[in-house]
């Protein structure tokens, strides 16, 4: 698919390769004439001019081949690098269009490895094709044609042997490829395990899990060793069989050549020609075995990423999707069902209307479905049944880009780019001026700690923002949301990593941020949502209660009241509370 974009250059490379390989077949014909003249029995002075002329002809062909190869080399470099870059860009684009669920089920390190493998596989396959496979086909066919013209029997022997050789190699490689695929799969498993343990190195230390992790990793690498050893040993068997076939071919052809020489049909030059052609054929066919093995290995390496590229995206825009234009900011859940798997509904016939500019808090026990509500509004997942509407328009009919552009989202565990603090905050609005970034940081109460860093706003935060504390990361995420300034705001446990003092300080900033917006706040800490216009209590995917903070506390046996009592000083199992 990517080669099609460069048809002209691809065709040019094919033509120039065919011409160059054909020249390599023509040159031995002049060497044949050269040796025939030497052994003709004529006086040296008589044949010297002809020999000199042949030398210049041979030199001309070598120079022509050298010139064409240089042209081809530069053109080839431009071609395959362009295709590789296009492939990597396609992988980047297609990967990021996959759903939230897809990334939840994948190792980051494994995905990166698969992208790199696909690019490397194309480079390997293209090099095998243009440098070895195509020259092999052209040269072998040309040699067979020349031998058929000189002595048909020799051509038939070589042709029959070539067919048998190629079939034998193909059968062997087909047997071997499944072991290459298995080895590649184990290699991905090793990479994924390594990435997982590096990501969780703190857990390994805290839970003294190194012996277990090392034992499991060692077992994986032992499986990897066995898989590759078997594949390599099988390859050695194939190589040994190839050598035997080549010895047999040379023996047969020279036995027939000697008989023709005895009959006076072949000359010394013919022997030189046959030997030169045999060496060329053997060299190319020897390469064929390696070429085929490498091509299948590259295909095996590429298979995992190709599977991902062939996996349809779970959440997609409809062909008729239009950009979302928010005029009011009303949100409605209309009879929504949703499940992550068929065995358990997370939301059941969920109905809720959020008025424009209303601030709604969601509370409930873990697993009740609160964060799922936020994920569905952002279309990280599509609803199983029902519809979610913004200003009366089904979000499934809108483009994902326009939907998410209209929503600011702060998650429970904000992850930052390994870039500067300035870049991370400005990610909310790429065209924002430095002054607006500083203002957003100040309003999010993170300007103070940023100014105390060695490089202030130009400080790199580390992978996933690991150089910052959890509270600092969360304030950076809030600053990013403030800068984005969208009509809808979703806070999913946005203050969970803040201490009480920092939470009080940032509540004022959040109040300013919420002004004039439709706000969804998901929280375990009920102090975060006390001032919401409405509080919705979710239990097992359904709305159990809703109302203001005071109204819900007034219910004698309400679920919200029991949660509040636990958080303001009660203890589980304490009959006095």
């Amino acid at each position: 698919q990517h080669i099609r974009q460069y048809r002209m250059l691809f065709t040019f490379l094919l033509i120039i390769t065919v011409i160059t390989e054909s020249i390599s077949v023509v040159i031995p014909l002049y060497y044949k004439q050269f040796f025939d003249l030497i052994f003709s029995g004529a006086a040296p002075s008589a044949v010297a001019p002809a020999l000199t002329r042949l030398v210049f002809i041979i030199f001309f062909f070598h120079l022509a081949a050298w010139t064409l190869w240089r042209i081809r080399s530069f053109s080839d470099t431009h071609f395959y690098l362009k295709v590789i870059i296009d492939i990597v860009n396609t992988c980047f684009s297609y990967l990021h269009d996959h759903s939230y669920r897809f990334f939840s089920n994948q190792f980051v390190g494994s995905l990166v490895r698969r992208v790199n493998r696909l690019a490397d596989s194309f480079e390997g396959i293209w090099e095998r094709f243009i440098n070895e496979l195509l020259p092999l086909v052209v040269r072998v066919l040309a040699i067979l044609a020349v031998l058929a013209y000189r002595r048909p029997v020799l051509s038939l022997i070589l042709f029959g042997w070539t067919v048998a050789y190629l079939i034998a190699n193909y059968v062997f490689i087909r047997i071997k490829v499944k072991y290459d695929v298995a080895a590649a799969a184990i290699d991905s498993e090793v990479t994924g395990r390594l990435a997982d343990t590096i990501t969780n190195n703190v857990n390994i230390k805290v839970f003294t899990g190194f012996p277990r992790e090392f034992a499991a990793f060692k077992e994986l690498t032992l499986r990897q060793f066995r898989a590759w050893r078997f594949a390599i040993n099988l390859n050695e068997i194939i190589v040994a069989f190839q050598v035997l076939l080549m010895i047999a071919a040379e023996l047969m052809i020279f036995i027939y050549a000697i008989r023709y020489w005895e009959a006076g049909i072949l000359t010394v030059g013919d022997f030189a020609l046959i030997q030169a052609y045999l060496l060329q054929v053997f060299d190319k066919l020897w390469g064929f075995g390696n070429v085929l093995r490498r091509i299948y290995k590259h295909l095996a390496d590429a298979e995992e990423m190709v599977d991902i590229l062939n996996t349809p995206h779970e959440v997609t825009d409809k062909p008729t999707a239009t950009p979302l234009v928010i005029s009011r900011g009303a949100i409605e859940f209309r009879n929504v069902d949703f499940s992550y798997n068929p065995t358990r509904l997370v939301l059941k016939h969920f109905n809720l209307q959020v008025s424009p500019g209303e601030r709604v808090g969601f509370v409930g026990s873990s697993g009740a479905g609160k964060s799922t509500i936020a994920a569905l509004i952002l279309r990280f997942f599509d609803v199983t049944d029902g519809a979610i509407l913004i200003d009366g328009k089904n979000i499934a009919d809108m483009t994902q880009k326009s939907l998410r552009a209209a929503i600011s989202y702060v998650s429970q565990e904000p992850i930052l780019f390994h870039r500067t603090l300035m870049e991370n905050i400005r990610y909310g609005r790429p065209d924002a001026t430095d002054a607006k970034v500083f203002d957003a940081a100040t309003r999010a109460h993170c300007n103070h700690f940023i100014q105390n860093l060695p490089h202030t706003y130009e400080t790199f935060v580390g992978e996933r923002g690991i150089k910052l504390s959890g509270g600092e990361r969360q304030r950076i995420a809030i600053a990013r949301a403030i800068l984005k300034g969208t009509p809808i705001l979703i806070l999913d446990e946005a203050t969970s990593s803040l201490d009480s003092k920092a939470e009080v300080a940032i509540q004022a900033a959040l109040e300013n941020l919420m002004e004039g917006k439709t706000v969804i706040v998901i929280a375990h800490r009920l102090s975060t949502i006390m001032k919401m216009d409405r509080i919705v209590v979710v239990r097992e995917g359904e709305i159990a209660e809703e109302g203001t903070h005071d109204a819900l506390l007034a219910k004698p046996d309400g679920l919200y009241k029991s949660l509040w009592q636990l958080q303001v000083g009660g203890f589980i199992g304490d009959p006095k509370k």
Side-chain angles (χ1 to χ4, degrees):
Q1 293 173 7
H2 291 80
I3 285 174
R4 287 196 195 108
Q5 301 174 45
Y6 308 99
R7 288 185 181 91
M8 294 295 291
L9 184 53
F10 174 74
T11 304
F12 171 75
L13 288 169
L14 295 186
I15 292 171
I16 201 170
T17 300
V18 169
I19 294 172
T20 308
E21 288 301 318
S22 299
I23 291 174
S24 299
V25 175
V26 169
I27 290 173
L29 291 171
Y30 289 96
Y31 277 118
K32 171 196 171 326
Q33 294 181 32
F34 185 89
F35 286 110
D36 280 342
L37 283 173
I38 289 177
F39 290 97
S40 64
S45 58
V47 298
L51 291 175
T52 303
R53 181 176 59 83
L54 288 171
V55 167
F56 274 105
I57 292 173
I58 292 169
F59 169 77
F60 169 78
F61 278 116
H62 277 304
L63 185 62
W66 177 86
T67 303
L68 291 173
W69 271 110
R70 300 292 71 75
I71 295 171
R72 204 215 69 162
S73 295
F74 287 111
S75 302
D76 179 49
T77 300
H78 175 80
F79 170 78
Y80 82 79
L81 288 179
K82 285 289 290 182
V83 176
I84 286 174
I85 294 300
D86 289 349
I87 287 174
V88 172
N89 288 337
T90 296
C91 290
F92 182 93
S93 176
Y94 199 84
L95 268 177
H96 281 282
D97 278 341
H98 272 298
S99 67
Y100 183 87
R101 190 199 309 269
F102 171 84
F103 289 101
S104 300
N105 295 327
Q106 301 288 337
F107 286 117
V108 173
S110 180
L111 288 176
V112 172
R113 183 70 177 270
R114 290 177 188 183
V115 173
N116 290 335
R117 270 187 178 173
L118 182 60
D120 291 343
S121 294
F122 168 75
E123 181 181 4
I125 290 172
W126 173 251
E127 285 186 356
R128 302 288 84 77
F129 170 75
I130 199 68
N131 291 327
E132 300 176 62
L133 193 58
L134 181 60
L136 182 156
V137 173
V138 173
R139 194 171 298 193
V140 169
L141 289 178
I143 288 172
L144 289 173
V146 172
L147 286 179
Y149 173 76
R150 294 293 302 163
R151 193 53 52 195
V153 174
L154 296 180
S155 178
L156 287 173
I157 293 172
L158 187 57
F159 175 76
W161 177 88
T162 301
V163 171
Y165 181 92
L166 296 180
I167 291 173
N169 268 273
Y170 180 76
V171 171
F172 273 122
I173 298 306
R174 290 291 294 175
I175 293 171
K176 183 176 178 289
V177 66
K178 62 180 179 181
Y179 299 106
D180 286 335
V181 171
I186 294 174
D187 189 50
S188 293
E189 195 174 346
V190 169
T191 303
R193 186 82 180 201
L194 180 61
D196 191 37
T197 55
I198 291 173
T199 302
N200 287 278
N201 69 89
V202 173
N203 284 333
I204 292 173
K205 288 180 172 64
V206 170
F207 292 98
T208 62
F210 178 78
R212 298 192 303 274
E213 295 296 333
F214 182 69
F217 188 74
K218 191 175 180 180
E219 176 61 28
L220 268 180
T221 54
L222 181 60
R223 284 172 52 203
Q224 185 184 35
F225 162 75
R226 289 170 178 164
W228 284 121
R229 181 182 62 182
F230 183 83
I232 292 170
N233 286 342
L234 190 58
N235 183 67
E236 289 302 316
I237 294 172
I238 297 171
V239 169
F241 183 73
Q242 285 178 332
V243 174
L244 281 177
L245 285 176
M246 289 179 179
I247 293 171
E250 190 167 12
L251 177 65
M252 283 190 298
I253 288 176
F254 269 94
I255 287 174
Y256 273 92
I258 290 169
R259 290 179 182 175
Y260 284 124
W261 176 70
E262 281 183 313
I265 298 172
L266 294 183
T267 65
V268 172
D270 286 317
F271 274 94
L273 180 68
I274 291 169
Q275 183 62 24
Y277 280 169
L278 280 178
L279 290 175
Q280 287 190 24
V281 169
F282 289 166
D283 177 62
K284 293 299 180 183
L285 288 177
W286 176 265
F288 174 79
N290 291 325
V291 167
L292 206 57
R293 282 191 293 276
R294 289 173 186 171
I295 285 176
Y296 271 109
K297 184 181 183 305
H298 290 313
L299 290 173
D301 287 344
E303 186 173 10
E304 289 179 322
M305 188 62 215
V306 172
D307 285 343
I308 290 175
L309 293 174
N310 285 329
T311 300
H313 294 134
E314 182 182 359
V315 180
T316 58
D317 290 339
K318 293 180 179 178
T320 57
T322 57
L324 173 64
V325 179
I326 294 182
S327 56
R328 299 165 58 240
I331 302 173
E332 180 184 356
F333 281 76
R334 185 178 293 174
N335 206 30
V336 169
D337 287 346
F338 177 75
S339 61
Y340 292 103
N341 57 68
T343 60
R344 176 176 173 261
L345 273 177
V346 178
L347 295 181
K348 309 168 188 175
H349 306 299
F350 193 84
N351 289 280
L352 179 72
Q353 289 188 346
V354 180
S355 302
E358 185 179 12
R359 299 181 298 178
V360 179
F362 288 84
V363 297
S365 58
S366 296
K370 305 184 301 298
S371 293
T372 299
I373 291 169
L376 291 176
I377 294 174
L378 287 159
R379 270 198 84 193
F380 289 161
F381 306 91
D382 278 330
V383 297
T384 306
D385 197 12
I388 299 174
L389 296 87
I390 294 180
D391 287 345
K393 301 171 184 175
N394 191 337
I395 63 172
D397 297 329
M398 305 295 116
T399 62
Q400 296 174 68
K401 181 179 179 181
S402 65
L403 170 67
R404 292 163 190 162
I407 301 172
S408 293
Y409 175 65
V410 182
S411 65
Q412 181 176 0
E413 297 180 3
I415 297 173
L416 305 182
F417 292 98
H418 179 37
R419 301 172 191 173
T420 65
L421 286 163
M422 177 67 79
E423 290 175 290
N424 272 287
I425 297 174
R426 185 177 273 138
Y427 208 79
R429 185 183 292 176
D431 60 347
T433 64
D434 288 356
K436 289 186 179 295
V437 173
F438 298 149
D439 178 64
T442 301
R443 292 171 61 192
H445 290 260
C446 55
N447 182 65
H448 178 70
F449 84 78
I450 292 174
Q451 293 294 348
N452 289 328
L453 295 172
H455 303 289
T456 63
Y457 282 86
E458 296 305 313
T459 301
F460 281 83
V461 301
E463 187 177 4
R464 302 168 69 90
I466 196 170
K467 291 183 179 180
L468 303 179
S469 69
E472 289 169 342
R473 285 198 300 272
Q474 213 146 32
R475 276 179 275 181
I476 295 297
I478 292 171
R480 190 161 58 193
I482 290 173
L483 186 64
K484 189 175 182 182
T486 55
I488 296 176
L489 173 66
I490 299 176
L491 304 174
D492 186 358
E493 300 285 355
T495 60
S496 63
S497 295
L498 302 174
D499 56 54
S500 297
K501 182 179 178 181
E503 182 182 7
V504 171
I506 209 168
Q507 285 292 347
L510 290 177
E511 284 292 328
N512 292 330
L513 173 61
M514 294 179 192
E515 188 67 32
K517 294 179 173 61
T518 303
V519 182
I520 302 291
V521 179
I522 297 164
H524 279 299
R525 289 161 66 165
L526 303 187
S527 58
T528 306
I529 58 168
M530 286 176 56
K531 297 181 181 180
M532 295 293 104
D533 299 326
R534 181 166 37 133
I535 297 170
V536 176
V537 184
V538 182
R539 177 171 56 193
E540 296 182 356
E542 300 177 312
I543 296 176
E545 300 171 351
E546 60 180 314
T548 63
H549 171 74
D550 292 334
L552 291 173
L553 284 182
K555 293 186 176 183
D557 299 315
L559 178 58
Y560 182 83
K561 182 177 182 179
S562 65
L563 292 172
W564 176 260
Q565 288 175 335
L566 286 172
Q567 290 199 14
V568 297
F571 298 93
I572 296 174
D574 186 347
K576 297 179 182 179
K577 300 292 180 179

